[in-house]
Amino acid sequence: MRNNKNAILGGLMALSVAATPLYAAVSQSEAARLGNELTPFGSVKAGNASGTIPAWTGGLDEDDAPAGYEGSGDHHINPFPDDEVLFTINSSNADQYSEHLTDGLKAMLEAYPTTFRIPVYQSRRTHTVPEWVQKNVAKNAVSAEIVGEGAGLDGAFGGYPFPILHGDDEEKAWQVMWNHLTRWRGISITRRASEVAVQQNGEYTLVTSQQEAFFPYYNPEGDESTLDNVIFYYLSFTQSPPRLAGGAILVHETLNQIKNPRNGWGYNAGQRRVRRAPNLGYDSPIAAADNLRTADDTDIFNGALDRFNWTYEGMREIYIPYNNYEISSDKLSYDEVLGLAHLNPDHMRWELHRVHLVTATLKDGERHIYGKRRFYVDADSWNVALMDQYDGRGELWRVTQAILKNFYDMPGVWGGLEAFHDLQARRYHVLGLDNEEPRTRVFTDDVPNKRYFSPASLRRRSVR
């Protein structure tokens, strides 16, 4: 009994240590750089030495919306209609631009030499966030702390927790990923959008859903004490095709995953039952994506960090999809957006931006279909813009792209589309299509009652 008691006490002590903050925040004097030589969200305000990346001058918000834009929910009008392609990177000249290309982009150029290309435009740093979020970022800089082995967060609310990276390469990697996980995406959002898995012959079936999300982490009426350990609530109701219609999922995404891992529930229309969904995480395959996307591929990356070892590899200047208004325009049909093997490059826009490079390598003894992932994270918005995924043999397998643009009604940069390319299967999947929908994402300041996002509401609100 005594040995068992000691083991239990030892385990409780270890848990107590794991649950305490381990990595201190930056000093007030360091945080004072925000809004001066750094942007309010932590990126370098100045442009690069060559002038190919401009200085940040404030970004775009709704006051900068083009004439004809009627407000949130209206399809975004391109604020830069006169911008022209500076040059195009293709399979024949890729070596010339190699230092600014990811391995995934090089592999795409090699795999699809006659169709995949990268039209490069002038870089425009359009990201911004509301002033109240900027103030919270400054507060977080001196209070936010990682708990456990990257598994949780304390002392952060209403803004990026780590605008100024600090510590060793592992700590910086965790900080980058937590900035992505808690990045500004508005307060409340609704949208109707579709996803498709494109077959090798170009055929596809739209899977359309109504989606709703609320971010208590960005509740202007709340603070850290009101979070109930939740970053966001997410509801998705499948509306078509008929074989999937009526199904729904509910997710409570947690802030401190040591205290409480992600909670998920699913509603099956045929059985008319709500069940816990413990597999809404890690490498669980997504049926609507024809298994071309895992649960933690969604939003380019989401969920717990615990199955990988994380390393920060510094800053790079990389061509990433940015300010992509044309490919999400309601003037295009889905057939015009979707190519045989990738999105139609005629409607894409790529720009040179600073990114943080983070590598995640699967831990010994852990299970995941990816042996390694490399994340290229936009230094301004903290969105993962590009991700390369490797299989267990170390071979590049999948290449993922967030098709970023500034939602000037939010305001800020976020992915309009997400594209997932399987280089081995020569197929791809796209998430977030809404060109043919009468409205796009609607951002509001609404603060719904938490019961709205409860498991009990799933069956009541799901309609086949």
Side-chain angles (χ1 to χ4, degrees), residues 53-122:
I53 296 176
W56 182 79
T57 57
L60 293 182
D61 60 23
E62 198 158 17
D63 292 337
D64 303 301
Y69 178 73
E70 297 180 357
S72 193
D74 194 19
H75 284 270
H76 295 94
I77 299 171
N78 186 356
F80 314 116
D82 298 327
D83 284 4
E84 297 183 353
V85 178
L86 300 178
F87 55 90
T88 298
I89 304 171
N90 54 42
S91 59
S92 65
N93 66 2
D95 289 347
Q96 181 180 343
Y97 304 98
S98 179
E99 67 175 308
H100 301 304
L101 297 174
T102 66
D103 288 345
L105 292 179
K106 294 173 185 177
M108 291 284 290
L109 290 165
E110 182 178 350
Y112 310 109
T114 61
T115 60
F116 184 72
R117 56 190 181 278
I118 300 172
V120 176
Y121 290 75
Q122 71 179 94

Side-chain angles (χ1 to χ4, degrees), residues 1-15:
M1 274 298 287
R2 179 168 182 167
N3 287 340
N4 288 340
K5 182 179 180 180
N6 287 342
I8 293 171
L9 288 174
L12 291 173
M13 290 176 64
L15 181 60

Side-chain angles (χ1 to χ4, degrees), residues 347-415:
H347 306 298
M348 286 283 291
R349 178 177 177 134
W350 296 73
E351 300 179 2
L352 188 68
H353 284 262
R354 296 185 182 103
V355 300
H356 299 278
L357 174 56
V358 171
T359 296
T361 306
L362 188 64
K363 291 179 178 178
D364 291 341
E366 292 287 0
R367 183 189 62 81
H368 201 288
I369 65 171
Y370 302 133
K372 184 174 75 172
R373 290 159 139 167
R374 304 194 87 195
F375 301 89
Y376 297 83
V377 184
D378 175 34
D380 282 338
S381 67
W382 298 101
N383 284 279
V384 177
L386 299 172
M387 176 173 61
D388 296 342
Q389 299 114 298
Y390 297 77
D391 62 22
R393 302 167 299 173
E395 298 292 328
L396 183 61
W397 179 11
R398 291 176 172 173
V399 178
T400 300
Q401 302 165 2
I403 315 303
L404 302 175
K405 69 175 181 180
N406 178 289
F407 290 76
Y408 32 77
D409 50 329
M410 190 169 71
V413 169
W414 190 13

Side-chain angles (χ1 to χ4, degrees), residues 285-320:
I286 303 298
D290 208 6
N291 298 337
L292 294 172
R293 168 169 58 96
T294 63
D296 62 3
D297 281 337
T298 306
D299 211 22
I300 313 303
F301 178 78
N302 72 86
L305 310 181
D306 58 322
R307 293 191 182 181
F308 290 83
N309 292 313
W310 297 85
T311 304
Y312 179 71
E313 298 190 27
M315 296 280 289
R316 303 285 193 277
E317 294 181 0
I318 296 292
Y319 293 115
I320 60 177

Side-chain angles (χ1 to χ4, degrees), residues 68 100 130 162 170 198 308 316 332 336 400:
H100 301 304
F162 304 107
E170 183 178 48
V198 182
F308 290 83
R316 303 285 193 277
L332 297 178
E336 292 173 299
T400 300

